[in-house]
Coordinates of all heavy atoms in Angstrom, one line a residue:
M1 N -11.1 3.1 16.2 CA -11.0 3.2 14.8 C -12.2 2.6 14.1 O -12.8 1.6 14.4 CB -9.8 2.1 14.6 CG -9.4 2.3 13.0 SD -8.0 1.2 12.5 CE -6.8 1.6 13.6
D2 N -12.7 3.5 13.2 CA -13.9 3.1 12.4 C -13.6 2.0 11.3 O -12.4 1.7 11.2 CB -14.4 4.4 11.7 CG -15.0 5.5 12.6 OD1 -15.5 4.9 13.7 OD2 -15.1 6.6 12.2
I3 N -14.6 1.7 10.7 CA -14.5 0.6 9.7 C -13.7 1.0 8.5 O -12.9 0.3 8.0 CB -15.9 0.0 9.3 CG1 -15.7 -1.3 8.3 CG2 -16.7 1.0 8.5 CD1 -15.4 -2.5 9.1
I4 N -13.9 2.3 8.1 CA -13.0 2.8 7.0 C -11.5 2.8 7.2 O -10.8 2.5 6.4 CB -13.6 4.2 6.5 CG1 -13.0 4.6 5.2 CG2 -13.3 5.3 7.6 CD1 -13.5 3.8 4.1
E5 N -11.2 3.2 8.4 CA -9.8 3.1 8.8 C -9.2 1.7 8.9 O -8.1 1.5 8.4 CB -9.5 3.8 10.0 CG -9.5 5.3 10.0 CD -10.9 5.9 10.4 OE1 -11.7 5.1 10.8 OE2 -11.1 7.1 10.4
S6 N -10.0 0.8 9.3 CA -9.7 -0.6 9.3 C -9.5 -1.1 7.9 O -8.5 -1.9 7.7 CB -10.8 -1.4 10.1 OG -10.8 -1.0 11.4
V7 N -10.5 -0.8 7.0 CA -10.3 -1.2 5.6 C -9.1 -0.6 4.9 O -8.3 -1.3 4.2 CB -11.6 -0.9 4.9 CG1 -11.3 -1.1 3.4 CG2 -12.7 -1.7 5.4
M8 N -8.8 0.7 5.3 CA -7.5 1.3 4.7 C -6.3 0.6 5.3 O -5.3 0.5 4.5 CB -7.6 2.8 5.1 CG -8.7 3.6 4.3 SD -8.8 5.3 4.7 CE -7.3 5.9 3.6
V9 N -6.2 0.2 6.5 CA -5.0 -0.4 7.0 C -4.9 -1.7 6.3 O -3.7 -2.2 6.0 CB -5.2 -0.5 8.6 CG1 -4.0 -1.4 9.2 CG2 -5.0 0.8 9.2
C10 N -5.9 -2.5 6.2 CA -5.8 -3.8 5.6 C -5.4 -3.6 4.1 O -4.6 -4.4 3.6 CB -7.2 -4.5 5.5 SG -7.6 -5.0 7.2
M11 N -5.9 -2.6 3.4 CA -5.4 -2.4 2.0 C -4.0 -2.0 2.0 O -3.3 -2.4 1.1 CB -6.4 -1.3 1.4 CG -6.1 -1.0 0.0 SD -6.5 -2.4 -1.1 CE -6.1 -1.8 -2.6
L12 N -3.6 -1.2 2.9 CA -2.1 -0.8 3.0 C -1.3 -2.0 3.2 O -0.3 -2.1 2.5 CB -1.9 0.1 4.1 CG -0.5 0.7 4.3 CD1 0.0 1.3 3.0 CD2 -0.4 1.6 5.5
V13 N -1.7 -2.8 4.1 CA -0.8 -4.1 4.3 C -0.8 -4.9 3.0 O 0.3 -5.5 2.6 CB -1.4 -5.0 5.5 CG1 -0.8 -6.4 5.5 CG2 -1.2 -4.2 6.7
A14 N -1.9 -5.1 2.3 CA -2.0 -5.8 1.0 C -1.1 -5.1 0.0 O -0.4 -5.9 -0.8 CB -3.5 -5.9 0.5
L15 N -1.2 -3.9 -0.1 CA -0.2 -3.1 -1.1 C 1.2 -3.3 -0.7 O 2.1 -3.5 -1.6 CB -0.6 -1.6 -1.1 CG -1.9 -1.4 -1.9 CD1 -2.2 0.2 -1.6 CD2 -1.6 -1.6 -3.4
V16 N 1.6 -3.3 0.5 CA 3.0 -3.5 0.9 C 3.4 -5.0 0.7 O 4.5 -5.1 0.0 CB 3.2 -3.2 2.5 CG1 4.5 -3.7 3.0 CG2 3.0 -1.8 2.7
L17 N 2.6 -5.9 0.8 CA 2.9 -7.2 0.5 C 3.1 -7.4 -1.0 O 4.0 -8.2 -1.5 CB 1.9 -8.3 1.1 CG 2.0 -8.4 2.6 CD1 0.8 -9.3 3.1 CD2 3.3 -8.9 3.1
A18 N 2.2 -6.8 -1.8 CA 2.2 -6.9 -3.3 C 3.5 -6.2 -3.8 O 4.1 -6.8 -4.7 CB 1.0 -6.2 -3.8
T19 N 4.0 -5.1 -3.1 CA 5.2 -4.5 -3.6 C 6.3 -5.4 -3.3 O 7.2 -5.5 -4.2 CB 5.3 -3.1 -2.8 OG1 4.1 -2.3 -3.2 CG2 6.5 -2.4 -3.4
I20 N 6.4 -6.0 -2.1 CA 7.5 -6.9 -1.8 C 7.6 -8.1 -2.8 O 8.6 -8.4 -3.3 CB 7.4 -7.3 -0.4 CG1 7.7 -6.0 0.5 CG2 8.4 -8.4 0.0 CD1 7.4 -6.3 2.0
T21 N 6.4 -8.5 -3.1 CA 6.3 -9.8 -3.8 C 6.7 -9.5 -5.3 O 7.4 -10.1 -6.0 CB 4.9 -10.3 -3.8 OG1 4.5 -10.7 -2.5 CG2 4.7 -11.7 -4.8
A22 N 6.3 -8.3 -5.8 CA 6.6 -7.9 -7.1 C 8.1 -7.7 -7.3 O 8.7 -8.1 -8.3 CB 5.9 -6.6 -7.5
R23 N 8.7 -7.1 -6.3 CA 10.2 -6.8 -6.3 C 10.9 -8.1 -6.2 O 11.9 -8.4 -7.0 CB 10.6 -6.0 -5.3 CG 12.1 -5.8 -5.2 CD 12.4 -4.3 -4.8 NE 13.9 -4.2 -5.0 CZ 14.5 -3.2 -4.6 NH1 13.9 -2.2 -4.1 NH2 15.8 -3.0 -4.9
W24 N 10.4 -9.0 -5.4 CA 11.2 -10.3 -5.2 C 10.9 -11.2 -6.4 O 11.9 -12.0 -6.9 CB 10.5 -11.1 -4.0 CG 11.0 -12.4 -3.8 CD1 12.3 -12.7 -3.2 CD2 10.4 -13.6 -4.0 NE1 12.4 -14.1 -3.2 CE2 11.3 -14.7 -3.7 CE3 9.2 -14.0 -4.6 CZ2 11.0 -16.0 -3.8 CZ3 8.9 -15.4 -4.8 CH2 9.8 -16.3 -4.4
A25 N 9.8 -11.1 -7.2 CA 9.6 -11.9 -8.4 C 10.3 -11.3 -9.6 O 10.4 -12.0 -10.6 CB 8.1 -11.9 -8.7
G26 N 11.0 -10.2 -9.5 CA 11.7 -9.7 -10.5 C 11.0 -8.9 -11.6 O 11.4 -9.0 -12.8
N27 N 9.8 -8.3 -11.3 CA 9.0 -7.5 -12.2 C 9.8 -6.4 -12.7 O 10.8 -6.1 -12.2 CB 7.7 -7.1 -11.6 CG 6.7 -8.3 -11.5 OD1 7.0 -9.4 -11.9 ND2 5.7 -8.0 -10.7
E28 N 9.3 -5.7 -13.7 CA 9.9 -4.6 -14.3 C 10.2 -3.5 -13.2 O 9.2 -3.2 -12.4 CB 9.0 -3.9 -15.4 CG 9.0 -4.7 -16.6 CD 10.3 -4.7 -17.4 OE1 11.0 -3.6 -17.4 OE2 10.6 -5.7 -18.0
P29 N 11.3 -2.8 -13.0 CA 11.5 -1.8 -12.1 C 10.5 -0.7 -12.2 O 10.2 -0.1 -11.1 CB 12.9 -1.3 -12.3 CG 13.6 -2.5 -13.1 CD 12.5 -3.2 -13.9
R30 N 10.1 -0.3 -13.4 CA 9.2 0.8 -13.5 C 7.8 0.4 -12.8 O 7.1 1.2 -12.2 CB 9.0 1.0 -15.0 CG 8.0 2.2 -15.2 CD 7.8 2.3 -16.8 NE 7.3 1.2 -17.4 CZ 6.0 1.0 -17.9 NH1 5.3 2.0 -17.9 NH2 5.7 -0.1 -18.4
D31 N 7.3 -0.9 -13.1 CA 6.2 -1.3 -12.5 C 6.2 -1.4 -10.9 O 5.2 -1.0 -10.3 CB 5.7 -2.7 -13.1 CG 5.5 -2.6 -14.5 OD1 5.1 -1.5 -15.1 OD2 5.6 -3.7 -15.2
V32 N 7.3 -1.9 -10.5 CA 7.5 -2.0 -8.9 C 7.6 -0.6 -8.5 O 6.9 -0.2 -7.4 CB 8.8 -2.8 -8.6 CG1 9.0 -2.7 -7.1 CG2 8.7 -4.2 -9.1
G33 N 8.1 0.4 -9.1 CA 8.2 1.8 -8.7 C 6.8 2.4 -8.6 O 6.5 3.2 -7.7
L34 N 6.0 2.1 -9.6 CA 4.7 2.7 -9.6 C 3.8 2.0 -8.4 O 3.1 2.8 -7.8 CB 4.0 2.3 -10.9 CG 4.4 3.2 -12.1 CD1 3.8 2.6 -13.4 CD2 4.1 4.7 -12.0
L35 N 4.0 0.7 -8.2 CA 3.3 0.2 -7.1 C 3.8 0.7 -5.7 O 3.0 0.9 -4.9 CB 3.5 -1.4 -7.2 CG 2.7 -2.3 -6.2 CD1 1.3 -1.9 -6.3 CD2 3.1 -3.7 -6.4
A36 N 5.1 0.9 -5.7 CA 5.6 1.5 -4.4 C 5.1 2.9 -4.2 O 4.8 3.4 -3.1 CB 7.1 1.6 -4.5
A37 N 5.0 3.7 -5.3 CA 4.5 5.1 -5.2 C 3.0 5.0 -4.7 O 2.5 5.9 -3.9 CB 4.5 5.8 -6.6
L38 N 2.2 4.1 -5.3 CA 0.8 4.0 -4.9 C 0.8 3.5 -3.5 O -0.1 4.1 -2.7 CB 0.1 3.0 -5.8 CG -1.3 2.5 -5.4 CD1 -2.2 3.7 -5.6 CD2 -1.7 1.4 -6.2
T39 N 1.6 2.7 -3.1 CA 1.6 2.3 -1.5 C 1.9 3.5 -0.7 O 1.3 3.6 0.3 CB 2.6 1.1 -1.4 OG1 2.2 0.0 -2.3 CG2 2.7 0.7 0.1
A40 N 2.9 4.2 -1.1 CA 3.3 5.5 -0.2 C 2.1 6.5 -0.2 O 1.9 6.9 0.9 CB 4.5 6.1 -0.9
L41 N 1.4 6.7 -1.3 CA 0.3 7.6 -1.3 C -0.8 7.0 -0.4 O -1.5 7.8 0.3 CB -0.2 7.9 -2.6 CG 0.6 8.7 -3.6 CD1 0.2 8.7 -5.0 CD2 0.8 10.1 -3.0
W42 N -1.0 5.7 -0.5 CA -2.1 5.1 0.2 C -1.8 5.1 1.7 O -2.6 5.4 2.6 CB -2.4 3.7 -0.2 CG -3.6 3.1 0.4 CD1 -3.7 2.4 1.6 CD2 -4.9 3.2 -0.1 NE1 -4.9 2.0 1.9 CE2 -5.8 2.5 0.8 CE3 -5.5 3.8 -1.2 CZ2 -7.1 2.4 0.7 CZ3 -6.9 3.7 -1.3 CH2 -7.7 3.0 -0.5
G43 N -0.5 4.9 2.0 CA 0.0 5.0 3.4 C -0.1 6.4 4.1 O -0.7 6.6 5.2
A44 N 0.1 7.4 3.2 CA -0.1 8.8 3.7 C -1.6 9.1 3.9 O -2.0 9.7 4.9 CB 0.5 9.8 2.7
G45 N -2.5 8.6 3.1 CA -3.9 8.8 3.2 C -4.4 8.0 4.4 O -5.3 8.6 5.1
T46 N -3.9 6.8 4.7 CA -4.3 6.1 5.8 C -3.9 6.7 7.1 O -4.6 6.9 8.1 CB -3.7 4.6 5.8 OG1 -4.1 4.0 4.5 CG2 -4.0 3.8 7.0
A47 N -2.6 7.2 7.1 CA -2.2 8.0 8.3 C -3.0 9.2 8.6 O -3.3 9.5 9.7 CB -0.6 8.3 8.1
A48 N -3.3 9.9 7.5 CA -4.1 11.1 7.7 C -5.6 10.7 8.2 O -6.1 11.4 9.2 CB -4.3 11.8 6.5
A49 N -6.1 9.7 7.7 CA -7.4 9.2 8.2 C -7.4 8.8 9.6 O -8.4 9.2 10.4 CB -8.0 8.1 7.3
V50 N -6.4 8.1 10.0 CA -6.3 7.5 11.4 C -6.1 8.7 12.4 O -6.7 8.8 13.4 CB -5.3 6.4 11.5 CG1 -4.9 6.1 13.0 CG2 -5.6 5.2 10.7
L51 N -5.2 9.6 12.0 CA -4.8 10.7 12.8 C -6.0 11.8 13.0 O -6.1 12.4 14.0 CB -3.6 11.4 12.4 CG -2.3 10.6 12.6 CD1 -1.2 11.4 12.0 CD2 -2.0 10.3 14.0
A52 N -6.8 11.8 11.9 CA -7.9 12.8 11.9 C -9.1 12.3 12.8 O -10.0 13.1 13.2 CB -8.3 13.0 10.6
S53 N -9.1 11.0 13.1 CA -10.3 10.5 13.8 C -10.1 10.5 15.3 O -9.1 10.7 15.8 CB -10.7 9.1 13.2 OG -9.7 8.2 13.6

């Protein structure tokens, strides 16, 4: 795994934790949904990058 994939995985973990924290803290559902959508897109990009290498 290259450095870029490692950074992408770390960012994915951070986004997942941020999404969980935002939901637990009771933030606006629209904001949590946007964060979850960003996390899903980032996860798809990370999976593609890891599988392509």
